[in-house]
Amino acid sequence: MKETTVIKIKDVELHKPVMVEDLPGIGHVGKLVAEHLVEELRAEKFIEVYSPHLPPQVLVNKDGTIKLVRIEFYAWKSTAAKAKDLIIVVGDYQSTSNVGHYEISGVILDLAIEYNVQRIYTLGGYVIGQLVDQPNVIGAVNNVKLIDEMKQLGVLFKENEPGGGIVGASGLLLGLAQLKNLDAICLMGETSGYLV
């Protein structure tokens, strides 16, 4: 495999979908949320993305068969009239290189545009270095107009936080989406940083 490859395994028609992305990161916070959404909503897988920028390995299933590491797109169609549908992006790993982070994030964004995504939410962890009973959600946005909406939902915005920025796809998607005039929000759940 020499380049990132998108395999569409099912045709879907979606109404003004919102995209939720999480590739594994700090404390697997976002990945756990995204996988929970897939399971609870019984979302259907419709795209698989394979890339030489992902770790060179396969995962072994319970029955002894293998699975090449990948990123998967799931679709959920709302049953409510005129409600927005959902695309959930989950992956086994993030890229192993800087170039790969940009390439994979670019592929995710291209697919978001192809499916007429109205907004992107990226999910991640925010390390606080200790266990917490009631974790907060810290936010970052690529459009200042989104801040009040998120604050009304309980999302906190801390000055200059996260201090090191947002690494990987969860951050890059915000920046690349901004270049395409597509609203994107990163929601980061507080985590100790040393436990899943």
Side-chain angles (χ1 to χ4, degrees), residues 20-162:
V20 175
E21 170 278 332
D22 185 70
L23 302 183
I26 296 168
H28 286 284
V29 172
K31 182 172 174 60
L32 292 172
V33 171
E35 288 177 345
H36 179 73
L37 284 172
V38 168
E39 186 177 319
E40 286 295 312
L41 297 173
R42 296 186 178 139
E44 291 187 86
K45 182 166 53 171
F46 70 105
I47 290 176
E48 293 177 345
V49 177
Y50 297 90
S51 178
H53 299 291
L54 295 173
Q57 71 182 79
V58 295
L59 300 177
V60 180
N61 299 314
K62 290 179 183 177
D63 65 359
T65 61
I66 58 91
K67 171 186 121 170
L68 186 63
V69 296
R70 60 185 167 229
I71 297 165
E72 300 171 327
F73 284 60
Y74 290 83
W76 175 78
K77 292 185 69 66
S78 173
T79 56
K82 297 185 181 180
K84 294 179 179 177
D85 295 330
L86 189 60
I87 295 174
I88 307 163
V89 181
V90 296
D92 297 312
Y93 293 100
Q94 295 233 17
S95 170
T96 58
S97 71
N98 292 340
V99 170
H101 278 294
Y102 277 92
E103 182 176 312
I104 290 169
S105 295
V107 167
I108 292 170
L109 184 59
D110 289 345
L111 288 164
I113 291 167
E114 179 181 334
Y115 284 92
N116 196 29
V117 165
Q118 304 296 296
R119 180 181 283 181
I120 297 173
Y121 288 91
T122 67
L123 308 175
Y126 178 82
V127 176
I128 58 173
Q130 61 190 17
L131 295 175
V132 60
D133 290 330
Q134 295 293 322
N136 293 304
V137 175
I138 311 302
V141 297
N142 70 357
N143 181 341
V144 70
K145 294 176 184 177
L146 301 169
I147 291 176
D148 284 340
E149 177 187 344
M150 292 297 105
K151 281 184 175 180
Q152 289 176 18
L153 297 171
V155 177
L156 302 178
F157 290 84
K158 296 184 175 184
E159 188 173 338
N160 297 318
E161 289 294 336

